[in-house]
Amino acid sequence: MSNQKWKDYFLKSGVPLEFEIKKILDKYECFTKYDESYLRENELNVETEFSYDINSVSIKDQNFFELMIECKYRDKSTNWIFLPEGTKSDKRSLANNSVLHPNDYFTFENKFHFNPFQMPYLAESCNKGIEITTHGQNPKSITQAISQLSYAMSENFLNTIIHHLESNDGCEDNIHYHIPIIVTTANLYLLNDNVTIKSIKDCDTLDEVATKQKHLIFNCNIGKDLEDYNKKVLSKILKRFDKNFLNRRIGSEHFNNFDIFVSIVSRVLCPSNIYIVQHTEKSETLDDLFEMLKEVAYPDKTIKFIKNKEIKKHFREKKKHRNEIQTKLNNLKKNDSKDDLPF
């Protein structure tokens, strides 16, 4: 085997990409493991073990952000081209919120209080994509990555609900977020709105008909098979809890009984969107995402996005308290003294 070939084979395995992504997650002090597996029936209706590459959890106060990551290594000539979403995000799209998939339906007090149409902007939304290489098109590549994450979602969703209902470890009221992510080394492009078949035939380069992106939010269209699978998984909870108990316990303004909850989550929310990001040598791959998670967990800059006046007041008081502590710490540093610590 030539020196070049072993490198190509190793890179194409995706293992080095997974290793680099884990190092980025380590930088953000996440709890990370490789190869998160789950069981589902394959195309022959045989129960089979599937997996996605990385499962990582970032804990910020009472927020557990679970990153479900599928890695796709491609050479630098590979392009992923996506269709734009029907309505432009204008930096206020519901898509920017729903990539988080907050799971607070059975928590007592902690709820996701942000107005979904005024979340911090993350990326442009898109729909349907195709992989183009120097050898042709690969219609399955993007679809397979989306499928791996989509079918894993409901099991994670269920485990969180069980934790909220059964656990007494002090974290049972924390909000869990299930964030599906595809990390790829392929170039990401969003097709321009005014593109026609003729303009594609007449252009010399892809940049004439599409705009390069560093990340995108893919709008999922949950098919019948995934919907049925989601319902089957979520309904497992009925083996552990009585439906009347679940109806009383569910704490969402959007659902008033468990059957409606299962129906809507299975058909619309599991998952609603997937975050797709290009990994480059600059190692800034997940910086924008973690900046948004920080704003969600510590909403000093986003207080104006919260509707509830009492919640808004709570966050302002929390911010004021943190600022007071920081001021005292700064004064202590100046005086080079350790007396009268503020905690």
Short mmCIF file of all heavy atoms in Angstrom, two decimals, residues 173-214:
data_model
loop_
_atom_site.label_atom_id
_atom_site.label_comp_id
_atom_site.label_asym_id
_atom_site.label_seq_id
_atom_site.Cartn_x
_atom_site.Cartn_y
_atom_site.Cartn_z
N ASP A 173 -35.84 17.83 36.98
CA ASP A 173 -36.61 18.95 36.44
C ASP A 173 -35.80 19.78 35.45
O ASP A 173 -36.23 20.86 35.05
CB ASP A 173 -37.12 19.83 37.57
CG ASP A 173 -38.44 20.51 37.22
OD1 ASP A 173 -39.32 19.83 36.67
OD2 ASP A 173 -38.58 21.72 37.47
N ASN A 174 -34.63 19.29 35.09
CA ASN A 174 -33.82 20.01 34.11
C ASN A 174 -34.40 19.84 32.71
O ASN A 174 -34.94 18.80 32.36
CB ASN A 174 -32.38 19.49 34.10
CG ASN A 174 -31.64 19.85 35.37
OD1 ASN A 174 -32.12 20.65 36.16
ND2 ASN A 174 -30.48 19.26 35.57
N ILE A 175 -34.27 20.87 31.90
CA ILE A 175 -34.72 20.79 30.51
C ILE A 175 -33.65 20.09 29.68
O ILE A 175 -32.47 20.43 29.75
CB ILE A 175 -34.98 22.19 29.93
CG1 ILE A 175 -36.00 22.95 30.77
CG2 ILE A 175 -35.48 22.07 28.48
CD1 ILE A 175 -36.24 24.36 30.31
N HIS A 176 -34.07 19.09 28.92
CA HIS A 176 -33.16 18.41 28.00
C HIS A 176 -33.44 18.89 26.58
O HIS A 176 -34.60 19.08 26.19
CB HIS A 176 -33.35 16.89 28.08
CG HIS A 176 -32.82 16.30 29.34
ND1 HIS A 176 -31.88 15.29 29.36
CD2 HIS A 176 -33.08 16.57 30.64
CE1 HIS A 176 -31.59 14.96 30.60
NE2 HIS A 176 -32.31 15.72 31.40
N TYR A 177 -32.37 19.06 25.82
CA TYR A 177 -32.49 19.47 24.42
C TYR A 177 -31.83 18.39 23.56
O TYR A 177 -30.70 17.96 23.85
CB TYR A 177 -31.78 20.81 24.17
CG TYR A 177 -32.27 21.95 25.04
CD1 TYR A 177 -31.83 22.08 26.35
CD2 TYR A 177 -33.16 22.90 24.55
CE1 TYR A 177 -32.26 23.13 27.15
CE2 TYR A 177 -33.60 23.94 25.34
CZ TYR A 177 -33.16 24.06 26.64
OH TYR A 177 -33.58 25.10 27.43
N HIS A 178 -32.51 17.95 22.51
CA HIS A 178 -31.97 16.92 21.61
C HIS A 178 -31.62 17.60 20.29
O HIS A 178 -32.52 17.99 19.53
CB HIS A 178 -33.00 15.82 21.40
CG HIS A 178 -33.56 15.28 22.69
ND1 HIS A 178 -32.84 14.46 23.53
CD2 HIS A 178 -34.76 15.47 23.29
CE1 HIS A 178 -33.59 14.15 24.59
NE2 HIS A 178 -34.75 14.76 24.46
N ILE A 179 -30.33 17.74 20.02
CA ILE A 179 -29.87 18.54 18.88
C ILE A 179 -29.16 17.64 17.86
O ILE A 179 -27.98 17.28 18.05
CB ILE A 179 -28.93 19.66 19.35
CG1 ILE A 179 -29.59 20.46 20.48
CG2 ILE A 179 -28.55 20.56 18.19
CD1 ILE A 179 -28.69 21.50 21.10
N PRO A 180 -29.84 17.24 16.78
CA PRO A 180 -29.20 16.41 15.75
C PRO A 180 -28.30 17.26 14.85
O PRO A 180 -28.71 18.32 14.38
CB PRO A 180 -30.39 15.83 14.98
CG PRO A 180 -31.48 16.81 15.17
CD PRO A 180 -31.26 17.48 16.50
N ILE A 181 -27.09 16.75 14.61
CA ILE A 181 -26.09 17.53 13.87
C ILE A 181 -25.38 16.63 12.87
O ILE A 181 -24.97 15.52 13.19
CB ILE A 181 -25.03 18.12 14.84
CG1 ILE A 181 -25.70 19.00 15.90
CG2 ILE A 181 -23.98 18.92 14.07
CD1 ILE A 181 -24.75 19.39 17.03
N ILE A 182 -25.22 17.12 11.65
CA ILE A 182 -24.36 16.46 10.67
C ILE A 182 -23.14 17.34 10.46
O ILE A 182 -23.26 18.52 10.10
CB ILE A 182 -25.09 16.26 9.32
CG1 ILE A 182 -26.32 15.37 9.49
CG2 ILE A 182 -24.14 15.65 8.29
CD1 ILE A 182 -27.17 15.25 8.24
N VAL A 183 -21.97 16.79 10.73
CA VAL A 183 -20.71 17.49 10.49
C VAL A 183 -20.05 16.88 9.27
O VAL A 183 -19.87 15.66 9.20
CB VAL A 183 -19.76 17.38 11.70
CG1 VAL A 183 -18.43 18.06 11.39
CG2 VAL A 183 -20.39 18.01 12.94
N THR A 184 -19.72 17.70 8.29
CA THR A 184 -19.13 17.20 7.06
C THR A 184 -17.97 18.08 6.61
O THR A 184 -17.91 19.26 6.96
CB THR A 184 -20.17 17.13 5.93
OG1 THR A 184 -19.57 16.61 4.74
CG2 THR A 184 -20.75 18.51 5.63
N THR A 185 -17.07 17.50 5.87
CA THR A 185 -15.99 18.28 5.26
C THR A 185 -16.34 18.71 3.84
O THR A 185 -15.54 19.37 3.17
CB THR A 185 -14.68 17.47 5.25
OG1 THR A 185 -14.92 16.20 4.64
CG2 THR A 185 -14.14 17.27 6.65
N ALA A 186 -17.52 18.32 3.38
CA ALA A 186 -17.98 18.76 2.06
C ALA A 186 -18.29 20.25 2.08
O ALA A 186 -18.58 20.82 3.14
CB ALA A 186 -19.21 17.97 1.64
N ASN A 187 -18.24 20.89 0.93
CA ASN A 187 -18.64 22.29 0.81
C ASN A 187 -20.16 22.37 0.83
O ASN A 187 -20.84 21.55 0.20
CB ASN A 187 -18.12 22.88 -0.51
CG ASN A 187 -16.61 22.78 -0.64
OD1 ASN A 187 -15.87 23.25 0.20
ND2 ASN A 187 -16.16 22.13 -1.70
N LEU A 188 -20.70 23.33 1.57
CA LEU A 188 -22.15 23.49 1.67
C LEU A 188 -22.60 24.67 0.80
O LEU A 188 -22.03 25.76 0.87
CB LEU A 188 -22.56 23.75 3.12
CG LEU A 188 -22.17 22.69 4.15
CD1 LEU A 188 -22.67 23.10 5.53
CD2 LEU A 188 -22.73 21.32 3.77
N TYR A 189 -23.62 24.42 -0.01
CA TYR A 189 -24.16 25.46 -0.88
C TYR A 189 -25.68 25.52 -0.75
O TYR A 189 -26.35 24.49 -0.62
CB TYR A 189 -23.81 25.19 -2.34
CG TYR A 189 -22.41 25.60 -2.73
CD1 TYR A 189 -21.35 24.69 -2.62
CD2 TYR A 189 -22.14 26.88 -3.21
CE1 TYR A 189 -20.06 25.06 -2.99
CE2 TYR A 189 -20.84 27.26 -3.57
CZ TYR A 189 -19.81 26.34 -3.46
OH TYR A 189 -18.54 26.72 -3.82
N LEU A 190 -26.22 26.75 -0.80
CA LEU A 190 -27.65 26.97 -0.83
C LEU A 190 -28.00 27.58 -2.18
O LEU A 190 -27.47 28.63 -2.57
CB LEU A 190 -28.06 27.93 0.30
CG LEU A 190 -29.56 28.11 0.54
CD1 LEU A 190 -30.19 26.79 1.00
CD2 LEU A 190 -29.81 29.20 1.58
N LEU A 191 -28.86 26.89 -2.92
CA LEU A 191 -29.23 27.34 -4.26
C LEU A 191 -29.90 28.71 -4.18
O LEU A 191 -30.73 28.96 -3.31
CB LEU A 191 -30.19 26.33 -4.89
CG LEU A 191 -30.29 26.31 -6.42
CD1 LEU A 191 -28.99 25.83 -7.03
CD2 LEU A 191 -31.44 25.41 -6.86
N ASN A 192 -29.53 29.61 -5.09
CA ASN A 192 -30.12 30.94 -5.11
C ASN A 192 -31.60 30.87 -5.50
O ASN A 192 -32.01 30.02 -6.28
CB ASN A 192 -29.37 31.84 -6.08
CG ASN A 192 -27.93 32.07 -5.66
OD1 ASN A 192 -27.59 31.95 -4.48
ND2 ASN A 192 -27.07 32.41 -6.61
N ASP A 193 -32.37 31.81 -4.98
CA ASP A 193 -33.82 31.80 -5.21
C ASP A 193 -34.20 31.95 -6.68
O ASP A 193 -35.19 31.39 -7.14
CB ASP A 193 -34.49 32.93 -4.42
CG ASP A 193 -34.55 32.61 -2.93
OD1 ASP A 193 -34.61 31.42 -2.59
OD2 ASP A 193 -34.54 33.55 -2.12
N ASN A 194 -33.41 32.72 -7.43
CA ASN A 194 -33.78 33.03 -8.81
C ASN A 194 -33.23 32.04 -9.84
O ASN A 194 -33.26 32.30 -11.04
CB ASN A 194 -33.29 34.44 -9.16
CG ASN A 194 -31.77 34.58 -9.03
OD1 ASN A 194 -31.11 33.67 -8.51
ND2 ASN A 194 -31.21 35.69 -9.50
N VAL A 195 -32.74 30.92 -9.39
CA VAL A 195 -32.12 29.95 -10.30
C VAL A 195 -33.17 29.25 -11.15
O VAL A 195 -34.25 28.91 -10.68
CB VAL A 195 -31.30 28.91 -9.50
CG1 VAL A 195 -30.92 27.72 -10.37
CG2 VAL A 195 -30.05 29.56 -8.94
N THR A 196 -32.81 29.04 -12.42
CA THR A 196 -33.65 28.26 -13.34
C THR A 196 -32.78 27.19 -13.98
O THR A 196 -31.54 27.21 -13.86
CB THR A 196 -34.23 29.16 -14.44
OG1 THR A 196 -33.14 29.68 -15.23
CG2 THR A 196 -35.05 30.30 -13.87
N ILE A 197 -33.42 26.25 -14.64
CA ILE A 197 -32.66 25.21 -15.36
C ILE A 197 -31.75 25.87 -16.39
O ILE A 197 -30.60 25.46 -16.57
CB ILE A 197 -33.62 24.21 -16.03
CG1 ILE A 197 -34.37 23.41 -14.95
CG2 ILE A 197 -32.87 23.26 -16.96
CD1 ILE A 197 -35.41 22.46 -15.50
N LYS A 198 -32.27 26.89 -17.06
CA LYS A 198 -31.46 27.59 -18.07
C LYS A 198 -30.24 28.25 -17.46
O LYS A 198 -29.13 28.17 -18.02
CB LYS A 198 -32.31 28.64 -18.78
CG LYS A 198 -31.57 29.35 -19.93
CD LYS A 198 -32.48 30.36 -20.62
CE LYS A 198 -31.76 30.99 -21.81
NZ LYS A 198 -30.48 31.62 -21.46
N SER A 199 -30.42 28.89 -16.29
CA SER A 199 -29.28 29.58 -15.67
C SER A 199 -28.21 28.58 -15.23
O SER A 199 -27.01 28.89 -15.24
CB SER A 199 -29.74 30.42 -14.48
OG SER A 199 -30.28 29.61 -13.45
N ILE A 200 -28.64 27.37 -14.85
CA ILE A 200 -27.67 26.33 -14.50
C ILE A 200 -26.90 25.88 -15.74
O ILE A 200 -25.69 25.69 -15.71
CB ILE A 200 -28.38 25.14 -13.82
CG1 ILE A 200 -28.98 25.57 -12.48
CG2 ILE A 200 -27.39 23.98 -13.61
CD1 ILE A 200 -29.81 24.51 -11.80
N LYS A 201 -27.62 25.71 -16.84
CA LYS A 201 -26.95 25.30 -18.09
C LYS A 201 -25.98 26.36 -18.59
O LYS A 201 -24.94 26.04 -19.16
CB LYS A 201 -28.01 25.01 -19.17
CG LYS A 201 -28.81 23.74 -18.93
CD LYS A 201 -29.81 23.53 -20.06
CE LYS A 201 -30.58 22.23 -19.88
NZ LYS A 201 -31.57 22.02 -20.98
N ASP A 202 -26.31 27.63 -18.36
CA ASP A 202 -25.49 28.72 -18.88
C ASP A 202 -24.32 29.09 -17.99
O ASP A 202 -23.39 29.77 -18.43
CB ASP A 202 -26.36 29.97 -19.09
CG ASP A 202 -27.39 29.78 -20.21
OD1 ASP A 202 -27.20 28.85 -21.02
OD2 ASP A 202 -28.36 30.55 -20.25
N CYS A 203 -24.32 28.66 -16.72
CA CYS A 203 -23.27 29.10 -15.79
C CYS A 203 -21.98 28.32 -16.00
O CYS A 203 -21.98 27.21 -16.54
CB CYS A 203 -23.75 28.96 -14.36
SG CYS A 203 -23.80 27.26 -13.76
N ASP A 204 -20.89 28.91 -15.56
CA ASP A 204 -19.57 28.26 -15.64
C ASP A 204 -19.16 27.63 -14.32
O ASP A 204 -18.41 26.65 -14.29
CB ASP A 204 -18.51 29.29 -16.08
CG ASP A 204 -18.74 29.80 -17.49
OD1 ASP A 204 -19.08 28.96 -18.37
OD2 ASP A 204 -18.59 31.02 -17.72
N THR A 205 -19.61 28.21 -13.21
CA THR A 205 -19.24 27.69 -11.90
C THR A 205 -20.47 27.60 -11.00
O THR A 205 -21.48 28.30 -11.22
CB THR A 205 -18.20 28.59 -11.21
OG1 THR A 205 -18.78 29.87 -10.94
CG2 THR A 205 -16.96 28.75 -12.08
N LEU A 206 -20.38 26.78 -9.98
CA LEU A 206 -21.47 26.60 -9.03
C LEU A 206 -21.77 27.91 -8.30
O LEU A 206 -22.92 28.20 -7.96
CB LEU A 206 -21.11 25.50 -8.03
CG LEU A 206 -22.09 25.22 -6.90
CD1 LEU A 206 -23.47 24.86 -7.43
CD2 LEU A 206 -21.57 24.10 -6.00
N ASP A 207 -20.74 28.73 -8.06
CA ASP A 207 -20.92 29.97 -7.31
C ASP A 207 -21.83 30.97 -8.03
O ASP A 207 -22.30 31.92 -7.42
CB ASP A 207 -19.56 30.62 -7.06
CG ASP A 207 -18.71 29.79 -6.10
OD1 ASP A 207 -19.01 29.81 -4.90
OD2 ASP A 207 -17.79 29.10 -6.55
N GLU A 208 -22.10 30.76 -9.31
CA GLU A 208 -22.99 31.65 -10.05
C GLU A 208 -24.46 31.36 -9.75
O GLU A 208 -25.32 32.23 -9.96
CB GLU A 208 -22.74 31.51 -11.55
CG GLU A 208 -21.35 31.98 -12.00
CD GLU A 208 -21.14 31.77 -13.49
OE1 GLU A 208 -22.06 32.09 -14.27
OE2 GLU A 208 -20.07 31.27 -13.88
N VAL A 209 -24.75 30.17 -9.28
CA VAL A 209 -26.16 29.80 -9.05
C VAL A 209 -26.45 29.43 -7.60
O VAL A 209 -27.60 29.20 -7.23
CB VAL A 209 -26.58 28.64 -9.97
CG1 VAL A 209 -26.56 29.07 -11.43
CG2 VAL A 209 -25.70 27.41 -9.74
N ALA A 210 -25.42 29.35 -6.78
CA ALA A 210 -25.59 28.97 -5.37
C ALA A 210 -24.64 29.76 -4.50
O ALA A 210 -23.60 30.23 -4.96
CB ALA A 210 -25.36 27.47 -5.19
N THR A 211 -25.01 29.91 -3.22
CA THR A 211 -24.20 30.67 -2.27
C THR A 211 -23.59 29.72 -1.25
O THR A 211 -24.29 28.91 -0.64
CB THR A 211 -25.07 31.71 -1.54
OG1 THR A 211 -25.70 32.55 -2.51
CG2 THR A 211 -24.22 32.56 -0.61
N LYS A 212 -22.28 29.83 -1.08
CA LYS A 212 -21.58 28.96 -0.14
C LYS A 212 -21.97 29.32 1.29
O LYS A 212 -22.09 30.49 1.65
CB LYS A 212 -20.07 29.07 -0.34
CG LYS A 212 -19.29 27.95 0.32
CD LYS A 212 -17.83 27.95 -0.11
CE LYS A 212 -17.09 26.74 0.45
NZ LYS A 212 -15.68 26.71 0.04
N GLN A 213 -22.14 28.29 2.12
CA GLN A 213 -22.55 28.47 3.51
C GLN A 213 -21.59 27.71 4.42
O GLN A 213 -21.04 26.68 4.03
CB GLN A 213 -23.97 27.91 3.72
CG GLN A 213 -25.01 28.42 2.77
CD GLN A 213 -25.45 29.83 3.07
OE1 GLN A 213 -25.43 30.26 4.22
NE2 GLN A 213 -25.87 30.56 2.04
N LYS A 214 -21.41 28.22 5.64
CA LYS A 214 -20.60 27.45 6.60
C LYS A 214 -21.48 26.50 7.41
O LYS A 214 -20.99 25.53 7.98
CB LYS A 214 -19.82 28.38 7.53
CG LYS A 214 -20.65 29.25 8.45
CD LYS A 214 -19.73 30.08 9.35
CE LYS A 214 -20.55 30.95 10.30
NZ LYS A 214 -19.67 31.73 11.22
#
